[in-house]
Amino acid sequence: LETVVVGRIDNYLLADGTDDVFVNASADIGLPPIQGLLRFGSVGVAEQNFISIGAVAAIAIVAFINRRWKISAHLTGMGGLFGGIMTYCLGIGAIPTVGTLCFWLLLSLILMYARLRLNAHTGAQVCAGWLLGTACTFLPYMIYIYAS
């Protein structure tokens, strides 16, 4: 997280040559956070690259899907976190404990319940969001591992 924030600030510094980190125009809002996220992925191990690219892909896919159908971006983020944890653990040769998996699944279920209780989404929309986030951050690395 610290690297993402530093990357975002660094991008503002490089963009206009000043030390002003505040966004002055609405046009500046979209790209720097994505650049910071990509920068975070480029400085670490391969797992971080796949997690970062998967997160950016998930955001783009959610934006595309939400033009026709209301997929849950909240659950896409939670699924992305779950998939990212799985990717990182498997990438360093560790198997996530059952307790870790249950903890993140429980948090996901609580968020699903909240979104359903608020009538913000249907069951299909929250499940699709969670599966999309998990798939975008976990599957690319698994494909890379099994293909190489």
Side-chain angles (χ1 to χ4, degrees), residues 25-47:
S26 61
D28 292 337
I29 294 173
L31 197 55
I34 294 172
Q35 288 174 334
L37 189 58
L38 290 172
R39 185 171 181 179
F40 165 74
S42 67
V43 295
V45 294
E47 296 79 24

Side-chain angles (χ1 to χ4, degrees), residues 30-116:
L31 197 55
I34 294 172
Q35 288 174 334
L37 189 58
L38 290 172
R39 185 171 181 179
F40 165 74
S42 67
V43 295
V45 294
E47 296 79 24
Q48 290 176 340
N49 287 330
F50 283 102
I51 294 168
S52 297
I53 291 168
V56 171
I59 293 167
I61 293 169
V62 165
F64 181 75
I65 290 174
N66 277 340
R67 295 177 66 160
R68 300 266 184 204
W69 191 55
K70 189 179 175 189
I71 193 169
S72 176
H74 287 90
L75 270 302
T76 301
M78 188 61 83
L81 179 61
F82 182 80
I85 290 168
M86 293 290 295
T87 299
Y88 187 76
C89 287
L90 295 175
I92 62 172
I95 297 184
T97 64
V98 172
T100 300
L101 297 178
C102 287
F103 174 76
W104 290 109
L105 287 173
L106 180 63
L107 283 179
S108 296
L109 289 172
I110 291 170
L111 184 57
M112 284 181 186
Y113 175 76
R115 300 305 292 165
L116 292 171

